[in-house]
Each structure stands twice: as C-alpha cells, then as structure tokens.
Amino acid sequence: MKKTVLITGATSGIGLACAQKFAANGDRLILTGRNGKRLAEIQKELTDQGAEVITLVFDVRDRKKATDCLNGLPKEWQDIDVLINNAGLALGLEPEYEGNPDDWETMIDTNIKGLLTMTRLIVPGMVSRNRGHIINIGSVAGDAAYAGGNVYCATKAAVKALSDGLRIDVADTAIRVTNLKPGLVETNFSNTRFHGDTARAATVYKGIKPLTGDDIADVAVYAANAPEHVQIAEVLILATHQASGSVIVRK
C-alpha cells in the first residue's frame, strides 16, 4: 500500500537516502529542509523517476513556519502515514566547559525542539485516524556520552526518551514508534560539526569503513513496512569495526 511519508532534513545524508529509498518503494513524499534550491533539485530527480513529491521549505526550529507549511498542504496530502524526524546536527567537539553556547542552542532547538514540533503537528492526525508511524533518527550517542560529545549526546539521549515516551502515549492505538540509532555514518555530519573544516571531518572516518545514508534508510523502509502487528521499537546500527560510540577500531 502506497504511503505518504514526510521526511525532515531531506536535502542530504540520511534524509536524502530515505527520500530515495521510500520513492523506490513506491511511496509518495513530503520533503522538508532549509535549502529550497536543493529540495527542488531532489524533487525533479525523484519525479523524473515516477515518484510523487511535494517540498516544504522551513527550518524545524521555526514552529510558526512549520505550522503554516503543514497547514498549507493540499487536502489530499494531509493524511501523513510516516513521519521521519531526521533533521538534526552536531556542532563542535570541545569539552563541555569550553563549548559554544550558540552551538548548544542550535543543537537543542533542532534535535529536540524541532522533533517535538513535528511530532506535535503530525501525530494528532495519526491518532484520529488510528494509524501511522513515527521514525526518529537518534544515535549511538544517545546511549552513552563520548569525549567532546556532551550536549550532542544529551540531545540524542532526549530523542531516545521522547521516542520511548511517545510509544507509551500511543500504545492504545495502532501507531508505531521507531528510534533508529546509527553509529559512524559518512555524510556531511562531521563537516557540519567542524564548521566546514573538511580536512578535520575526513579524519573521523579514517581507517574504518563507515555506514552510509543508504544503510540507515534501508532499516527505515524495513521498519515502515513490517507487518502491522510488528513494531520495530529501536535499532542500533554500527559499522563492523565500531563497538560503541567511543570504541572504534581503525585499520
């Protein structure tokens, strides 16, 4: 059955991979992000392949803009079956006592408040229809802190708690909640964390074959298409030579 899938942060990395995988699965897509030009390019690429795609340009930190964009969806697109809360980022790798408060606010506002905004806007409709699936992109960082990760790890621990809490809240419905927790995934994640320092970002993946966005998207598609009585509550996805957020064997 064709689903309507909304993906935040769909212009790159895991979000883009999810868009491509769900499109290939025959689903129709609502893609959101801050970069309107890039969203338009992705929309053309996917529609040329036969997918139905709508794009919404907003930052998940902007609750009013997010609300206006979702309220403005055509009626036939308003029944969202799958929400993928993917928009998120890490900034900086300093000790907590040396961190940049502006970086803290951006991470907290995006990774936690942005996820809450999208959940608040979309899940009530799922409850009224008694169907739907929320897939939150968490992280291995939410299981235990690693050096320099402090605030980012805290935001991903919050994603785990919010996923668990929402799953409890909707347990009397047919709605499912999944928390995907990737380890090292080679996207523009590290480039963003190091504020565009490409050379430093490259060292993160040195000596290990990291995961790709496609690897995570494959799991998201699997979870979304599991039988109705099956809820994939949480999945930790690591590269073969990564044992935890802090244990990585480089060769």
Side-chain angles (χ1 to χ4, degrees):
M1 177 181 169
K2 179 184 290 189
K3 299 180 179 69
T4 298
V5 181
L6 188 150
I7 305 168
T8 66
T11 55
S12 64
I14 294 171
L16 175 57
C18 283
Q20 294 166 336
K21 294 283 185 177
F22 277 93
N25 191 57
D27 298 313
R28 62 182 195 164
L29 306 174
I30 303 169
L31 306 181
T32 86
R34 295 175 296 171
N35 187 333
K37 180 181 178 183
R38 182 66 185 126
L39 281 174
E41 292 171 350
I42 296 166
Q43 181 181 32
K44 183 179 185 309
E45 172 191 328
L46 295 178
T47 54
D48 285 349
Q49 297 170 11
E52 295 179 79
V53 183
I54 282 182
T55 61
L56 302 176
V57 183
F58 64 87
D59 189 324
V60 294
R61 293 178 295 172
D62 188 337
R63 188 183 307 145
K64 183 180 185 307
K65 184 69 180 292
T67 302
D68 290 345
C69 284
L70 288 170
N71 286 342
L73 281 171
K75 189 174 187 308
E76 63 273 18
W77 284 81
Q78 290 182 1
D79 290 355
I80 294 165
D81 299 300
V82 180
L83 165 63
I84 302 181
N85 277 316
N86 165 73
L89 75 169
L91 292 171
L93 201 62
E94 299 84 11
E96 192 170 319
Y97 59 87
E98 293 179 352
N100 183 333
D102 290 337
D103 287 350
W104 297 345
E105 288 187 10
T106 300
M107 287 186 282
I108 292 168
D109 289 349
T110 305
N111 300 359
I112 302 176
K113 293 182 181 178
L115 179 147
L116 283 169
T117 291
M118 298 304 296
T119 301
R120 183 65 180 85
L121 289 171
I122 292 171
V123 174
M126 293 181 174
V127 172
S128 68
R129 295 186 297 274
N130 194 34
R131 72 174 191 273
H133 195 157
I134 302 93
I135 299 176
N136 292 329
I137 306 299
S139 172
V140 62
D143 288 346
Y146 55 76
N150 44 77
V151 175
Y152 173 71
C153 294
T155 66
K156 290 304 184 178
V159 170
K160 173 176 170 51
L162 292 171
S163 300
D164 292 346
L166 180 60
R167 194 177 303 110
I168 293 167
D169 292 337
V170 299
D172 62 338
T173 75
I175 297 168
R176 302 181 294 185
V177 181
T178 299
N179 179 24
L180 298 186
K181 305 187 301 183
L184 279 176
V185 184
E186 189 166 14
T187 62
N188 63 350
F189 175 88
S190 293
N191 199 294
T192 298
R193 160 167 265 170
F194 298 130
H195 299 280
D197 187 338
T198 305
R200 187 179 180 191
T203 65
V204 173
Y205 311 107
K206 187 175 181 180
I208 187 171
K209 184 173 183 179
L211 302 168
T212 67
D214 283 348
D215 296 325
I216 311 307
D218 283 338
V219 182
V221 171
Y222 174 81
N225 288 280
E228 290 183 2
H229 70 288
V230 177
Q231 179 172 210
I232 309 297
E234 187 171 283
V235 183
L236 176 63
I237 312 150
L238 302 175
T240 298
H241 295 294
Q242 178 176 14
S244 69
S246 57
V247 178
I248 300 167
V249 177
R250 303 178 189 274
K251 298 184 176 181

